[in-house]
């Protein structure tokens, strides 16, 4: 019996001892490994012979170093029938671990073309060292950046621009919140300084729809008033340590009022009235987007708000842009 040459399989770190029996045929290049995922041993071998005829092979297992030896049952061998094996190379089969209760490293195997008559000598295999090459690190996209900063901020400013609607009265815009690393929270409040005029008249985009005075007429002037209220909580996401993008959803309202002069049928001015323009007035859910910039202690907040998510066909959405300046503390 000759010493069996063994090696490490790439997917296991457990080594096994093997032995050969040499008669007219020789089993060589036996390689044994254990795959824990399927709980099976894997065996590769070559069969060398000058005789061009098949041979039956048997597999024996022994507890290392001097335990009981027994033949592996045919039902435990998978992938190859060991009967009538012709001389060849790189044969492969699997052995399941049924009945083998010790750790895989506690077993050695022997493949032989004849029945064993002697116990034979089993030697512990040489441990081979393999160089481990670290895999290249996987690139990941980090949404929240690990910025090492935490502070509160507050800013106040104005809304000087409206998109597609009159803004005759000053609207104050404020934004305050907290920054914690790569994210933060804030609350934006927009408030029009001019109060709403007291009126019961309602106007479309062209006329007062409920004007009913029989002895007078009216004419719109160029004077308008607006009321504005917006309360929007928002989330901030850091792009750079000095730049955060902001998005939020909250409540908003905006009303537009038109002034009109009343006249008698003789052309004499008799009074002034206000009518709420229902076409350009909105209330309900309001979207906000913007940026927050930090330069040491200085804080700049900008935003654009959209009111009219569920507007009807006879109403007009409203948007305004604002900017505020403040401090980080």
């Amino acid at each position: 019996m000759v010493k069996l040459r063994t090696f490490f399989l790439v997917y296991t770190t457990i080594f096994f001892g093997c032995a050969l029996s040499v008669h007219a045929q020789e089993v060589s290049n036996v390689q044994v490994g254990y795959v824990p995922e399927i709980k099976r041993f894997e065996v590769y071998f070559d069969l060398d012979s000058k005789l061009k005829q098949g041979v039956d092979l048997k597999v024996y297992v022994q507890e290392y170093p001097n335990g009981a030896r027994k033949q592996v049952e045919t039902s435990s061998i998978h992938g190859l029938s060991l009967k009538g094996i012709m001389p060849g190379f790189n044969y492969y089969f699997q052995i399941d671990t049924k009945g083998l209760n010790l750790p895989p490293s506690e077993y050695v195997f022997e493949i032989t073309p004849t029945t064993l008559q002697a116990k034979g000598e089993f030697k512990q295999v040489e441990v081979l060292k393999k160089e481990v090459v670290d895999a290249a690190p996987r690139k990941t996209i980090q949404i929240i950046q690990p910025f090492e900063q935490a502070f509160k901020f507050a800013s106040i400013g104005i809304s000087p621009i409206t998109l597609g609607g009159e803004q005759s009265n000053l609207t104050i815009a404020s934004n305050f919140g907290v920054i914690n690393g790569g994210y933060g929270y804030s609350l934006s409040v927009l408030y029009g300084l001019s109060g709403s005029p007291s009126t019961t008249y309602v106007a479309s985009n062209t006329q007062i729809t409920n004007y009913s005075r029989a002895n007078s007429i009216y004419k719109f002037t160029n004077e308008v008033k607006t009321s504005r209220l917006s309360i929007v909580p928002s989330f901030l996401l850091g792009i750079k340590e000095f730049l955060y993008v902001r998005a939020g959803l909250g409540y908003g309202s905006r009303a537009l009022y038109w002034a009109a002069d009343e006249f008698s049928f003789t052309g004499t001015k008799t009074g002034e009235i206000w009518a709420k323009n229902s076409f350009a007035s909105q209330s309900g859910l309001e979207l906000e987007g913007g940026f927050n910039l930090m330069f040491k202690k200085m804080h700049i907040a900008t935003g654009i708000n959209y009111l009219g998510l569920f507007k009807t066909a006879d109403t007009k959405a409203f948007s305004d842009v604002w900017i505020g300046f403040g401090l980080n503390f």
Side-chain angles (χ1 to χ4, degrees):
M1 187 177 300
V2 297
K3 180 181 178 182
L4 179 65
R5 177 169 158 267
T6 61
F7 84 122
F8 250 139
L9 294 182
V10 296
Y11 44 72
T12 182
T13 58
I14 303 174
F15 291 85
F16 304 92
C18 298
L20 305 179
S21 178
V22 182
H23 296 277
Q25 299 83 16
E26 180 180 349
V27 178
S28 61
N29 293 332
V30 180
Q31 305 166 5
V32 182
Y34 179 72
V35 186
E37 290 80 5
I38 60 176
K39 296 182 179 180
R40 287 184 177 180
F41 297 97
E42 290 191 333
V43 182
Y44 293 84
F45 69 94
D46 298 339
L47 179 61
D48 305 321
S49 176
K50 295 180 180 181
L51 303 177
K52 302 302 181 182
Q53 63 183 25
V55 62
D56 296 343
L57 298 180
K58 299 181 185 298
V59 181
Y60 294 85
V61 61
Q62 176 182 342
E63 297 177 5
Y64 181 83
N66 296 312
R69 176 190 300 168
K70 65 178 181 178
Q71 183 177 339
V72 176
E73 298 178 359
T74 304
S75 61
S76 297
I77 297 175
H78 306 276
L80 179 67
S81 174
L82 298 183
K83 291 186 178 295
I85 298 292
M86 297 297 293
F89 301 96
N90 205 32
Y91 283 106
Y92 168 79
F93 63 91
Q94 295 178 349
I95 303 173
D96 63 38
T97 56
K98 182 180 179 180
L100 303 178
N101 301 320
L102 296 179
S105 59
E106 299 298 318
Y107 292 101
V108 290
F109 293 84
E110 184 178 35
I111 305 175
T112 176
T114 59
T115 303
L116 290 179
Q117 301 297 330
K119 189 172 183 179
E121 180 182 2
F122 290 86
K123 295 184 178 180
Q124 189 173 5
V125 299
E126 179 183 359
V127 177
L128 303 179
K129 294 183 178 179
K130 279 190 168 291
E131 181 180 356
V132 179
V133 180
D134 294 334
R138 180 179 297 179
K139 293 183 178 180
T140 59
I141 300 176
Q142 191 165 8
I143 297 178
I144 298 179
Q145 301 298 325
F147 300 145
E148 295 183 0
Q149 57 184 8
F151 54 86
K152 299 177 182 178
F153 64 88
S155 66
I156 189 167
I158 60 172
S159 172
I161 303 173
T162 62
L163 305 179
E166 298 88 349
Q167 182 84 348
S168 63
N169 302 115
L170 182 63
T171 297
I172 297 297
S174 63
N175 179 248
F176 52 93
V178 296
I179 295 293
N180 186 11
Y183 66 96
Y185 306 96
S186 74
L187 182 69
S188 299
V189 178
L190 277 66
Y191 182 73
L193 294 182
S194 175
S196 302
S198 177
T199 182
T200 59
Y201 291 115
V202 178
S204 65
N205 207 35
T206 58
Q207 63 182 3
I208 299 176
T209 58
N210 60 343
Y211 190 80
S212 59
R213 292 189 180 183
N215 298 321
S216 63
I217 59 175
Y218 66 89
K219 181 181 179 181
F220 287 118
T221 67
N222 292 326
E223 186 178 1
V224 297
K225 286 186 177 182
T226 58
S227 65
R228 181 76 168 103
L229 176 64
S230 173
I231 302 175
V232 180
S234 56
F235 176 78
L236 289 85
L237 181 64
I239 306 301
K240 298 289 186 179
E241 289 188 346
F242 62 88
L243 176 62
Y244 285 69
V245 64
R246 188 182 71 257
L249 178 67
Y251 171 81
S253 65
R254 186 258 185 173
L256 173 65
Y257 296 89
W258 282 351
D261 291 334
E262 287 186 297
F263 299 89
S264 66
F265 288 120
T266 61
T268 303
K269 181 178 178 181
T270 58
E272 297 178 352
I273 60 173
W274 288 91
K276 181 179 179 180
N277 186 326
S278 60
F279 175 77
S281 299
Q282 290 283 347
S283 64
L285 289 178
E286 181 169 331
L287 285 175
E288 178 183 281
F291 295 96
N292 290 57
L293 296 93
M294 303 85 172
F295 303 98
K296 296 184 179 179
K297 289 294 184 179
M298 184 177 183
H299 192 99
I300 302 175
T302 65
I304 178 170
N305 291 47
Y306 178 84
L307 180 59
L309 288 176
F310 304 105
K311 73 178 187 67
T312 59
D314 57 349
T315 59
K316 179 183 179 181
F318 175 77
S319 296
D320 52 2
V321 178
W322 56 270
I323 185 170
F325 298 87
L327 297 174
N328 302 317
F329 51 89

